Amino acid sequence: MNTSVKPNHSPVEYRRVSDQMYITLLVAFVAIGLFLVASAFVPNFFQVQNMLNLITNNWAVISLGVGVSFLLISGNFDLSVGGIVALSGVLSVWFAQAVGGGSALSTGLGLPYWLAVVGALMGALAIGGLNALFVVKFRIPSIIVTLGTMMVARGIAQVITQGSQRNTNLPEEFGILGNLKVFGTSMQFPVLFMLILFFVAIFIERKTVFGRITYWIGANPEAAKLSGIDNSKHITYLYLFSSLVAGIVGILLSSEFKSGFSNRGLLMEFDALVIALLGGIAIAGGFGSVIGMFFGAIILAVVTSAATGLTLSPDWQFILKAVAVFLAITAQTWALSLRNK
């Protein structure tokens, strides 16, 4: 006689994929579905080049989304990245401009380009350090701190450019990085930077202790602290990483356009936050993935590109972005609750 007892497992124990992977797959299917719907209504939308453009034209926002995603997973915001993009770009131009120009906006510090880049990155890291100081040391909510430092960074950029831009008296090598073609292809270096950053972020997120600690802090900061994790140091590293990425993005954009513009990166901080939320990253922390953020970026790119193809005004594009975010978060919440029943 068979006396074995069949275990009374719940449906959750038989799941083949985790909730996180489930949401990531859901976001991926939504991105593909939106692309197919847009292809049916927008002329010439279903083309290989257009598919590539959805990624290459959004390299800057996707890059910023990596740093923002890690901070969101840890339970923190970073709204300063757009300001850092402007600041680092303006600093790289100002530092590299030759001394003795014909006007104030054409006169810089005359530093070698590599030193101008280092100086601009130091400026970006300074903003990241301020974020960490006020969030970690003084316990001020990150959304307030980073909103303030975003305005500080952009304000400094406006002072240096006098509310305009610096685009003259630059060395010849200034425009190389932003326009460099990779391995003789049409791919530009900034896109390669985004791809490398994306895959490194996936590795960190899934295969390293650093990535696991980020999730632990976001899910339960007190338990993480009691387990011996230095929450303050880890969050500081995340803010410095996010500001470094934003600084590199700003430098590459200034190199691409050969100018330092105080309004560059305007609203990029919100786009980076939007693609993270679209990708299924929980605003409360502890849940989400960089891969999901990437597909969130595709969703936003499809909506924006389709709206442009349908000749909708920029005002309607903002409304479409808001509707997309609301529907995505609602659908993700509903899908998880249905799955957990």
Side-chain angles (χ1 to χ4, degrees), residues 27 29 43 69 89-90 122-123 145 166 256 263 267 272 282 284 297 312 337:
V27 174
F29 284 128
S69 294
V90 166
M122 291 299 102
V145 171
R166 291 174 173 263
E256 179 182 357
N263 279 338
L267 298 180
L312 295 180
S337 62

Side-chain angles (χ1 to χ4, degrees), residues 41-308:
F41 291 96
V42 182
N44 302 319
F45 198 84
F46 192 82
Q47 294 181 356
V48 174
Q49 188 58 49
N50 188 48
M51 297 178 194
L52 295 175
N53 289 342
L54 292 176
I55 299 174
T56 58
N57 291 345
N58 292 279
W59 70 267
V61 173
I62 294 173
S63 299
L64 296 178
V66 171
V68 170
S69 294
F70 273 107
L71 278 164
L72 268 181
I73 291 171
S74 75
N76 293 277
F77 288 86
D78 189 359
L79 297 179
S80 67
V81 290
I84 294 175
V85 167
L87 177 62
S88 61
V90 166
L91 287 178
S92 68
V93 171
W94 183 41
F95 291 159
Q97 282 179 306
V99 178
S103 66
L105 289 180
S106 63
T107 301
L109 301 186
L111 299 178
Y113 181 58
W114 69 268
L115 193 55
V117 168
V118 172
L121 290 178
M122 291 299 102
L125 288 172
I127 299 297
L130 276 178
N131 289 336
L133 175 65
F134 285 100
V135 171
V136 171
K137 185 71 174 178
F138 300 112
R139 307 288 183 180
I140 301 175
S142 59
I143 191 170
I144 297 174
V145 171
T146 57
L147 188 60
T149 53
M150 179 266 287
M151 292 187 287
V152 168
R154 195 171 294 282
I156 295 173
Q158 288 178 341
V159 169
I160 296 174
T161 60
Q162 299 179 14
S164 180
Q165 62 178 328
R166 291 174 173 263
N167 57 6
T168 58
N169 213 13
L170 290 166
E172 291 184 6
E173 63 267 25
F174 190 89
I176 294 177
L177 277 180
N179 297 282
L180 180 67
K181 303 296 183 182
V182 180
F183 307 125
T185 67
S186 60
M187 179 189 293
Q188 291 185 317
F189 176 74
V191 178
L192 177 63
F193 164 74
M194 179 270 291
L195 292 174
I196 293 173
L197 178 66
F198 175 64
F199 287 111
V200 169
I202 293 174
F203 177 79
I204 293 173
E205 176 185 271
R206 294 192 166 194
K207 300 296 183 180
T208 68
V209 175
F210 188 91
R212 289 194 291 272
I213 289 176
T214 304
Y215 281 96
W216 293 338
I217 292 176
N220 194 328
E222 289 302 321
K225 189 174 182 180
L226 292 173
S227 299
I229 296 172
D230 191 338
N231 294 11
S232 298
K233 182 184 291 185
H234 192 85
I235 293 172
T236 298
Y237 288 153
L238 290 177
Y239 272 113
L240 291 176
F241 171 69
S242 182
S243 63
L244 179 64
V245 171
I248 294 173
V249 169
I251 290 169
L252 291 175
L253 285 172
S254 68
S255 175
E256 179 182 357
F257 296 103
K258 297 181 182 178
S259 68
F261 186 38
S262 59
N263 279 338
R264 186 161 291 140
L266 190 65
L267 298 180
M268 274 191 181
E269 60 274 357
F270 295 107
D271 282 345
L273 179 62
V274 164
I275 64 175
L277 296 177
L278 282 174
I281 296 178
I283 201 167
F287 186 88
S289 70
V290 174
I291 297 177
M293 177 276 299
F294 178 81
F295 284 111
I298 299 301
I299 291 175
L300 185 62
V302 168
V303 171
T304 303
S305 181
T308 303

Side-chain angles (χ1 to χ4, degrees), residues 15-40:
R15 290 177 179 172
R16 295 186 178 181
V17 296
S18 64
D19 285 346
Q20 184 171 296
M21 182 58 68
Y22 175 73
I23 289 297
T24 300
L25 291 173
L26 178 64
V27 174
F29 284 128
V30 170
I32 296 171
L34 277 177
F35 181 82
L36 294 176
V37 171
S39 299

